[in-house]
């Protein structure tokens, strides 16, 4: 029996915009990865599959029990909600406190049951997870990675029939990600994973790809999916070449037929003028020729329509398969020193002194566990923080890009953002660059506040990489909200970029493909 099943799902927003139509799926594998470009509707599809949202049309067979992971729930980020309250252990801990204070009411004993060691056990579990060992610690004071790990731990310890994990590895460091992979492996229920993280997708048994053409199923894990996509792209390109060849052949044949028809018509007119053949015979030949020409033209038009429709279908599929391109402006590599830190101690995070020299063409992967001070180090370079001790020297302009896309003006269009923040760029050049990341024709007039996370990041990367002074780029988890295609596109662009950057990312595949040539660990 499938864990969940859906037939002919469609979803339409209140404003009439259709997100997807006629999507059908059946989850028979225990580990399924759902992938697709940003904004295509993966999270909404997952909500439909578990019954949280209702489709505009279609039918869903929901699981018996399920749990969903989503990032940064608002009730945990504000107020005094504690770890114990989130784990629903606060009543038991309160009962223990009451008994320890001398209140021996039977009510407290009923609440505790057999869990007399819960305080020590919970503290140790939290410590093992890399969280504060105090159950009364406020959730709002946890880092993004710690909060994600707490939520995931609660879900992976549950007995739900299905877990839907929406981007669970965002904000997790390498140790936490490995813990997540290990925990997923031993979880007894089924997992539907929405992710752009290739490490996690390699743990899947099947990949579902949602695109403008519907839902396509690929057997095997991410590597199998990637290879099947490569083979399919080659096949589509061969078919497009064949269609193009047939269209040219059809046009050449049509031209020859027109020339022959014109020759026959000219010959008939000549005979008609000479009067060597009866008029009734010539009229009969003319009528037959006209009928043959009409029939031939009809066949040619039908063939042309068929080839055009086939070409449009193949082009649409190719668009979903091919990699987008992001052109980053080049700067000349120079071996000059641009950043020097001598025995520097950060105001937060790592307490060990840092001695580091960075050159203009260095591509650095800045690594370390959650909370060690990676973002603090970047902000210290920017001057937002000061070193507690030690020396810092800068000999380069810097451009900082965080995962919240702060460089994008919400009330400006995509085109105006690029032109205003990249002084001197021509509109024609700006449009060419925007087309390379998927903004074509009127879409360049979309406002910044309407863009998805991935679209904002791609626009922001164009902006920071086309500054006239060629700054050293400070990239604070720029891949966190990018889909798989966009991650690969950005990595290729960074690989070919001649300038330097400092990259904070927990995705080692992405970092390696970006061409990092040094690793600095805090």
């Amino acid at each position: 029996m499938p864990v969940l099943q859906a037939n002919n799902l469609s979803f339409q927003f209140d404003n009439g915009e259709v997100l997807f139509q006629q999507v059908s799926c059946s989850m028979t594998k225990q580990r399924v990865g759902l992938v697709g470009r940003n904004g295509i509707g993966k999270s909404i599809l997952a909500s439909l599959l578990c019954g949280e949202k209702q489709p505009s049309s279609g039918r869903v067979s929901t699981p018996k029990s399920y749990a969903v992971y989503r990032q940064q729930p608002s009730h945990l980020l504000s107020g005094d909600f504690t770890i114990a309250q989130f784990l629903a252990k606060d009543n038991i801990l309160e009962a223990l406190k009451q008994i320890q204070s001398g209140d021996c009411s039977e009510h407290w004993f009923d609440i505790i049951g057999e869990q007399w060691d819960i305080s020590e056990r919970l503290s140790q579990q939290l410590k093992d997870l890399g969280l504060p060992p105090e159950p009364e610690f406020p959730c709002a004071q946890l880092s993004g990675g710690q909060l994600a790990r707490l939520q995931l731990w609660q879900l992976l310890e549950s007995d739900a029939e299905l877990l839907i994990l929406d981007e669970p590895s965002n904000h997790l460091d390498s140790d936490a990600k490995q813990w997540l992979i290990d925990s997923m492996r031993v979880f007894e229920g089924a997992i539907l994973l929405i992710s752009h993280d290739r490490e996690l997708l390699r743990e899947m048994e099947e990949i579902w790809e949602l695109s403008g053409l519907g839902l396509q199923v690929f057997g095997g894990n991410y590597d199998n999916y990637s290879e099947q996509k490569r083979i399919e792209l080659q096949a589509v390109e061969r078919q497009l070449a064949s269609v193009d060849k047939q269209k040219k052949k059809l046009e050449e044949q049509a031209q020859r037929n027109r020339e022959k028809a014109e020759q026959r018509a000219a010959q008939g007119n000549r005979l008609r003028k000479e009067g060597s053949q009866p008029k009734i015979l010539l009229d009969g030949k003319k009528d037959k020729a006209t009928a043959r020409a009409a029939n031939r033209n009809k066949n040619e038009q039908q063939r042309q329509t068929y080839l055009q429709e086939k070409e449009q279908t193949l082009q649409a599929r190719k668009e979903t398969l091919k990699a987008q391109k992001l052109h980053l402006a080049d700067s000349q590599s120079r071996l000059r020193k641009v950043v020097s830190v001598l025995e520097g101690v950060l105001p937060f995070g790592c307490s060990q002194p840092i001695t580091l020299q960075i050159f203009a063409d260095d591509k650095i992967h800045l690594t370390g566990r959650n909370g060690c001070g990676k973002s603090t180090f970047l902000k210290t370079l920017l001057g937002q923080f000061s070193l507690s001790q030690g020396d810092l020297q800068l000999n380069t302009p810097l451009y900082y890009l965080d995962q919240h896309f702060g460089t994008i003006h919400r009330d400006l269009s995509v085109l105006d953002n690029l032109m205003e923040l990249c002084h001197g760029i021509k509109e024609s050049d700006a449009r060419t660059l925007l087309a390379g990341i998927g903004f074509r024709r009127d879409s360049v007039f979309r406002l910044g506040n309407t863009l998805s996370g991935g679209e904002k990041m791609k626009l922001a990367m164009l902006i920071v990489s086309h500054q006239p002074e060629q700054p050293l780029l400070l990239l604070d988890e720029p891949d966190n909200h990018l889909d798989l295609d966009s991650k690969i596109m950005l990595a290729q662009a960074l690989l070919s970029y001649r300038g330097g950057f400092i990259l904070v990312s927990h995705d080692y595949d992405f970092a390696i493909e970006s061409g990092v040539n040094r690793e600095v660990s805090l």
Side-chain angles (χ1 to χ4, degrees):
M1 282 291 293
V3 178
L4 54 82
Q5 200 164 10
N7 293 303
N8 298 322
L9 290 187
S10 299
F11 186 83
Q12 186 174 15
F13 293 108
D14 292 339
N15 63 4
E17 179 186 353
V18 176
L19 186 60
F20 48 74
Q21 299 183 78
Q22 305 299 308
V23 169
S24 298
C25 58
S26 178
M27 186 173 174
T28 57
K29 302 290 187 182
Q30 285 292 96
R31 300 290 184 268
V32 173
L34 177 59
V35 302
R37 292 183 177 176
N38 290 118
I40 201 66
K42 300 184 296 296
S43 296
I44 289 180
L45 176 59
S47 296
L48 298 177
L49 293 176
C50 66
E52 289 185 344
K53 290 182 180 290
Q54 295 302 310
S56 302
S57 63
R59 184 168 53 85
V60 178
S61 175
T62 56
K64 295 177 182 177
S65 62
Y66 71 91
V68 181
Y69 169 81
R70 295 187 180 91
Q71 297 181 52
Q72 314 299 333
S74 58
H75 71 282
L76 297 183
L77 294 174
S78 59
D80 299 323
F81 207 73
T82 66
I83 292 176
Q85 288 174 319
F86 173 73
L87 296 174
K89 304 294 184 183
D90 51 315
N91 288 341
I92 305 175
L93 294 173
E94 178 62 25
L96 283 171
K97 286 182 181 178
Q98 293 296 330
I99 292 174
Q100 289 169 357
S101 67
D103 186 345
C104 296
S105 301
E106 185 176 349
H107 168 68
W108 300 124
F109 287 88
D110 291 338
I111 291 176
I112 295 171
E114 301 297 324
Q115 302 185 68
W116 291 95
D117 64 341
I118 187 173
S119 182
E120 295 79 10
R121 183 160 45 85
L122 182 56
S123 293
Q124 186 59 49
Q125 288 171 327
L126 294 173
K127 185 177 180 181
D128 293 342
L129 285 168
L131 302 175
E134 302 85 21
E136 300 303 321
F137 193 89
C139 292
Q141 295 182 26
L142 296 174
S143 70
Q146 289 174 325
L147 188 57
R149 197 160 177 173
L150 176 64
Q151 293 173 258
L152 290 165
W153 177 56
Q154 183 197 42
L155 295 179
L156 290 162
E157 289 291 312
S158 73
D159 56 359
E161 183 184 18
L162 172 68
L163 289 187
I164 297 176
L165 306 181
D166 195 346
E167 294 290 358
S169 63
N170 279 7
H171 307 292
L172 296 185
D173 58 31
S174 56
D175 289 343
K177 189 189 292 186
Q178 188 57 52
W179 165 85
L180 173 59
I181 290 172
D182 294 338
S183 300
M184 287 169 57
R185 286 173 180 169
V186 299
F187 179 70
E188 294 183 358
I191 294 177
L192 178 61
L193 171 73
I194 305 171
S195 180
H196 306 304
D197 191 311
R198 284 162 282 188
E199 283 186 76
L200 298 189
L201 291 170
R202 290 189 181 104
E203 299 293 317
M204 300 296 104
E205 302 171 85
E206 191 170 83
I207 302 294
W208 295 355
E209 181 189 56
L210 184 63
S211 71
L213 303 179
L215 188 73
Q216 188 172 7
V217 177
F218 296 82
N221 67 5
Y222 171 78
D223 292 330
N224 297 110
Y225 157 78
S226 182
E227 178 64 13
Q228 290 177 67
K229 291 261 287 185
R230 185 187 67 80
I231 293 171
E232 185 179 357
L233 177 58
Q234 290 178 341
V236 167
E237 288 176 338
R238 285 195 298 270
Q239 292 177 65
L240 278 169
S242 175
V243 168
D244 187 58
K245 187 176 180 180
Q246 292 177 63
K247 287 174 65 179
K248 289 179 179 177
K249 186 176 180 180
L250 181 62
E251 180 58 37
E252 290 170 357
Q253 184 62 49
Q255 181 62 30
R256 286 195 295 268
N257 291 338
R258 286 192 294 270
E259 291 173 355
K260 288 180 181 179
E262 289 171 359
Q263 290 172 1
R264 288 192 295 268
Q267 184 180 14
N269 290 333
R270 188 171 63 254
L271 293 173
R272 191 181 296 275
K273 288 179 180 179
E274 293 173 353
S276 59
Q277 292 188 18
K279 184 175 181 295
I280 190 170
L281 178 62
L282 293 174
D283 288 343
K285 288 182 177 181
K286 181 179 179 182
D287 290 342
K288 289 181 181 179
T290 301
R292 283 197 303 269
N295 188 53
R296 188 171 57 247
N297 289 337
K298 181 180 179 182
N299 289 337
E300 287 173 357
Q301 288 175 357
Q302 289 177 341
R303 182 66 177 164
Q304 286 175 344
T305 300
Y306 167 76
L307 290 174
Q308 286 172 353
E309 289 175 352
K310 186 174 182 180
E311 183 179 42
Q312 289 173 356
T313 301
L314 290 170
Q315 285 288 5
R317 184 59 188 153
K318 182 180 178 181
E319 188 65 27
T320 67
L321 291 168
K322 73 176 184 178
Q324 301 176 61
K325 292 183 179 180
L326 174 58
H327 298 283
L328 301 188
D330 287 340
S331 67
Q332 295 299 317
S333 296
R334 298 177 300 278
L335 294 178
R336 64 183 181 87
K337 190 189 305 177
V338 295
V339 177
S340 179
V341 182
L342 180 62
E343 295 293 313
V345 177
L346 297 175
F348 313 104
C350 175
S351 60
Q352 296 297 316
I354 300 170
T355 295
L356 177 66
Q357 292 184 342
I358 299 174
F359 295 88
D361 58 353
D362 275 342
K363 296 183 176 182
I364 292 176
H365 187 197
L366 186 61
T367 64
R369 300 190 64 174
N370 291 127
C372 70
K374 298 184 293 295
S375 296
T376 300
F377 178 74
L378 297 184
K379 292 178 180 179
T380 300
L381 294 182
L382 285 169
Q384 295 181 15
F385 299 132
S386 299
L387 293 174
S388 299
Q389 62 184 59
D391 295 318
L392 168 63
Q393 293 183 351
L394 292 175
N395 187 31
T396 183
L398 302 169
Y399 207 117
Y400 176 75
L401 182 65
D402 66 8
Q403 57 191 295
H404 304 297
F405 331 114
T407 192
I408 302 296
H409 292 318
R410 293 171 51 84
D411 299 326
L412 290 182
S413 71
V414 170
L415 181 61
D416 287 341
N417 262 290
L418 186 59
M419 294 190 67
E420 180 168 315
L421 296 173
C422 299
H423 303 295
I425 191 171
K426 296 179 181 178
E427 182 174 341
S428 59
D429 294 335
R431 283 179 173 271
T432 299
L433 291 170
L434 291 171
I437 60 170
F439 294 105
R440 297 178 177 86
R441 296 182 288 276
D442 289 346
S443 65
V444 302
F445 301 116
R446 289 175 57 195
L447 296 180
N449 59 11
T450 69
L451 303 179
S452 69
E455 288 171 330
K456 286 181 180 178
M457 184 58 76
K458 287 186 283 186
L459 175 59
M461 281 305 305
L462 275 184
I463 292 169
V464 300
S465 64
H466 283 79
Q467 298 304 302
E469 67 272 22
Q470 290 299 333
L472 180 72
L473 303 182
L474 306 182
L475 309 173
D476 197 349
E477 301 194 54
D479 55 312
N480 242 5
H481 302 279
L482 294 181
D483 57 42
L484 273 170
D485 289 340
S486 300
K487 272 194 178 190
I488 294 170
M489 173 190 68
L490 175 57
Q492 290 172 343
L494 289 173
L495 177 64
S496 61
Y497 180 51
R498 295 186 190 176
F501 59 75
I502 303 175
L503 170 67
V504 176
S505 174
H506 298 306
D507 187 333
Y508 277 86
D509 283 319
F510 172 75
I512 291 170
E513 291 170 3
S514 298
V516 295
N517 52 28
R518 290 179 63 187
E519 180 175 341
V520 175
S521 180
L522 296 184

